Amino acid sequence: MVQSYLEGVGWGLEQLQEARSELRDVSHALKKAGLESSQNAEGVKSLERLREVSVNHCQLLAAVSNLPRLYSVRSMVLETERLVESRRLLEAHARLMDLERWQDDILWQLHGAPGTTGSVLSIEDQELVAKYFSGVGQLVDALGKELWAVVSSALALARQNPTPFVSAVRIVEREEALDRALLEERGGSGSNSRPLPPGRPRCWRACFFQVLEEAVSARFRSVSYLHTRGPGLAGHLSALQHATMADLGTVRHLLEHCVPPRYRLTGAYLRASHRCLQAHLAQVSSWDLESGEIFAVLNWVLHIYNSPDMMGHPELVADIEKEALGPLISTEGLEQLQSKYVQSVRKSVSEWMHKALQVELQDWQRDQEPDTDHEGFYQTSLPTIITQMLEENARVALMIGESLRDQTIQMGLYEMENLLNRFREALVEFGKEHRRNLSSNKNKFYLHYLLASISNCIILKKSTESLQQQQSSRSAGQFSRTPPNPLAALDRAVRRACRLVMDQLLLDLQPFLPGLLTRPWLVQGDPTPKLCHVLERHLELYGRVRPPCRQRLQEEAQWLMVVEYVRALMQKRLVCRGAEERRQLAQQMVQDDQLFREILHGLEGDGSVPEVNPLALLPVLADFIRLKDPSMLTLEVSGLAAKYPDISEEHVSVLLDVRGDVSRDIRGAVLDLLEQSAPPLPAGYRPIFTDILVPPSTMAFCLPTAKCA
């Protein structure tokens, strides 16, 4: 192993010796070459003068070759100017390209061709060339101006003579091809790369589309606020539709054939028109528009613009799908417009409702009966005006969309509720005014107009229910405000009107009620026929009210008559002196009941008899008074309390007094029984005795009235 190591070391030493020897030889060779190079440098210096002469010769040769061009630059500029002015654009552009090529060649020759030792072009030389060729830059501007004038008037030219437009497109394509070739040839960054000519790249194709869009927008910039206000806005939008479609037809059928297919000129015009319309409609939407103007804008944007008569035209569908234009007005903008529309309509509706209510109040003062419809029911113009107005607004809003229809209906219901609240207040004031003028008999048809008001409310209720049914189910919960409740306001107004009608009935009955259940009545029965006459006259008028309020008024009149009859009994105007008077009293009460039933017989035919018929009370009270055996009164009172659980001890006590034959013991037993039984009022039971107050009994030993007061 040691011997192997030693052999390896020896071999390495031999290699090192050989390398040192070779390095020594190379070093001697380099020194020899250096000496020879130093000797040749003196000979190269003698060739420097020859190089300078060669460079000067090249420059002189370039100057001599460019002299004809340089002398002809002025004349070519003038000639090109004349060609531009006469709109011989293709010839002018060809001369311009020659001038630019000469300018570029001269600059490059002055700069120095690749491989030469020429220096970079000085600033003075650049300024000199730019000054000499200054007319070329002006020609470019003039040609561009004429070119864009042709492009901007392309629509008019297409219908008359499209040749200038075709020439403009050819020039644009030439320039685009030249830009592309120069960028490919001179796009490098090396020191020997040829620089781009001044003003390159021009990008005239992009300018072409920009000028086209500016030409489209010029149609909209000329429209002012005054030209499109009021009814003129709809006509303006219609003119926009026809003008846009006419332009698109020209572009598609004429101009599209004058440009390369890659231009997709129809799509470009669509984009430009769409953007201009967006800006124009945004300006229009910012104006203080009335409801009719807002409707015209919404209808045009949502329906006309995308219809087959405009952008939905079969020939344009493919281009529109490629462009993906988007909406004319954003979703937020549409919501704001719809909100402005609803507010404008609400203002108009509120004013019309106020006027309609004023007309209604004036009708109430007329000295004639209200008008009747084909069914003979009283009515005025109020419900017709309100119903037609709300339904018309809902129908018009539906032409825009269900959302706007729902908002309009919701607004109408709010205004209906406000109107009904004011209507109820007007009814209250109407009643107060009538009571103040009773002596003058000013409002002879007061009751008639109250009944007409009730019929009006029924018509408005049907209209309200119809509007609520028109609302889509998804509109529920969309509105942050408390939902309107016009039906509740209607019910309040109807109840107030019915109350006033009953007050008038009571007022007409009042002169005859004091004579009821008195001794003259017992002998002659005099006030009852008069009461029946008043009641019959009122019930006849109630027939002019639409159901179901007609039945409701008849029921209320029935209750009022029975309550007043029983109230007269409770006043103890007649206390029986014996069995004969009790028989006569009971008989007269039964006869009165028969008279009332004959008048009210129509209620049963209408299906309006209440669950507890108040007329059934009179025969029961008559039987109570007719009862011959006072000991049976306990049983009779228990039956009476079972039928009428609201009867009180005071009522029974008065009935016992009217009989005039009840002992203290029987009275105590009867009242104790009534106190112990006292059944609760069943569900749906309408109290009758609760409305009848028993007058307090006058004690013989009481102090004088003034002292008591």
Side-chain angles (χ1 to χ4, degrees), residues 380-440:
T380 60
S381 60
L382 179 67
T384 303
I385 295 174
I386 301 302
T387 299
Q388 290 180 352
M389 179 170 52
L390 295 182
E391 290 181 351
E392 178 67 15
N393 284 327
R395 185 188 64 80
V396 171
L398 183 59
M399 296 172 64
I400 301 300
E402 289 188 358
S403 175
L404 185 61
R405 188 268 315 270
D406 293 342
Q407 294 182 52
T408 304
I409 290 178
Q410 193 85 342
M411 174 276 299
L413 295 179
Y414 276 119
E415 292 302 316
M416 173 82 82
E417 184 176 7
N418 294 335
L419 170 72
L420 291 171
N421 289 332
R422 296 196 301 269
F423 183 74
R424 181 170 57 87
E425 295 171 358
L427 284 174
V428 173
E429 186 61 31
F430 187 42
K432 292 179 180 179
E433 180 184 0
H434 175 67
R435 287 191 292 272
R436 287 195 298 266
N437 299 324
L438 283 177
S439 58
S440 62

Side-chain angles (χ1 to χ4, degrees), residues 420 423-424 427 457 488-498:
L420 291 171
F423 183 74
R424 181 170 57 87
L427 284 174
C457 288
L490 271 168
D491 185 61
R492 290 193 295 270
V494 169
R495 282 191 281 110
R496 173 55 60 184
C498 290

Side-chain angles (χ1 to χ4, degrees), residues 347-365:
K347 180 181 177 182
S348 175
V349 168
S350 179
E351 291 175 356
W352 274 102
M353 284 187 173
H354 178 73
K355 293 178 181 178
L357 184 58
Q358 295 303 314
V359 172
E360 177 76 3
L361 298 184
Q362 294 174 5
D363 288 345
W364 290 353
Q365 306 300 327

Side-chain angles (χ1 to χ4, degrees), residues 270-303:
L270 275 172
R271 287 195 306 272
S273 300
H274 189 77
R275 283 194 289 266
C276 292
L277 283 173
Q278 283 178 324
H280 183 61
L281 290 175
Q283 179 189 14
V284 171
S285 300
S286 65
W287 298 341
D288 186 16
L289 301 176
E290 300 293 336
S291 59
E293 298 171 309
I294 300 174
F295 175 83
V297 173
L298 289 173
N299 185 55
W300 199 83
V301 170
L302 296 176
H303 300 296

Side-chain angles (χ1 to χ4, degrees), residues 151 203-217 272:
V151 173
C203 304
W204 274 11
R205 186 185 293 170
C207 294
F208 173 88
F209 288 107
Q210 182 179 354
V211 170
L212 185 67
E213 183 169 350
E214 290 176 355
V216 175
S217 64

Side-chain angles (χ1 to χ4, degrees), residues 73-205:
V73 165
R74 302 287 183 183
S75 61
M76 283 193 67
V77 169
L78 293 175
E79 184 180 356
T80 307
E81 286 180 353
R82 287 194 297 270
L83 292 173
V84 170
E85 290 173 358
S86 61
R87 282 205 172 182
R88 295 163 63 182
L89 301 181
L90 285 175
E91 298 178 40
H93 185 252
R95 299 297 177 87
L96 180 61
M97 290 177 68
D98 290 339
L99 288 170
E100 288 182 324
R101 185 169 59 253
W102 293 354
Q103 180 184 9
D104 184 45
D105 290 343
I106 290 172
L107 286 172
W108 179 236
Q109 290 171 7
L110 291 175
H111 182 276
T116 66
T117 59
S119 60
V120 177
L121 185 62
S122 65
I123 297 177
E124 291 79 4
D125 293 339
Q126 291 181 12
E127 291 177 350
L128 178 62
V129 174
K131 182 178 180 181
Y132 194 80
F133 284 92
S134 61
V136 177
Q138 296 173 0
L139 282 176
V140 172
D141 295 337
L143 180 62
K145 184 178 180 181
E146 290 295 327
L147 205 65
W148 307 139
V150 170
V151 173
S152 62
S153 59
L155 291 172
L157 291 173
R159 301 184 183 98
Q160 301 171 1
N161 179 22
T163 303
F165 179 74
V166 174
S167 300
V169 173
R170 291 179 62 184
I171 293 172
V172 168
E173 284 301 295
R174 284 182 188 176
E175 288 290 327
E176 199 70 19
L178 190 56
D179 284 346
R180 188 166 54 252
L182 290 173
L183 288 173
E184 292 175 357
E185 177 186 351
R186 310 182 188 186
S189 58
S191 60
N192 290 329
S193 62
R194 190 169 179 174
L196 290 171
R200 293 287 180 179
R202 293 208 174 103
C203 304
W204 274 11
R205 186 185 293 170

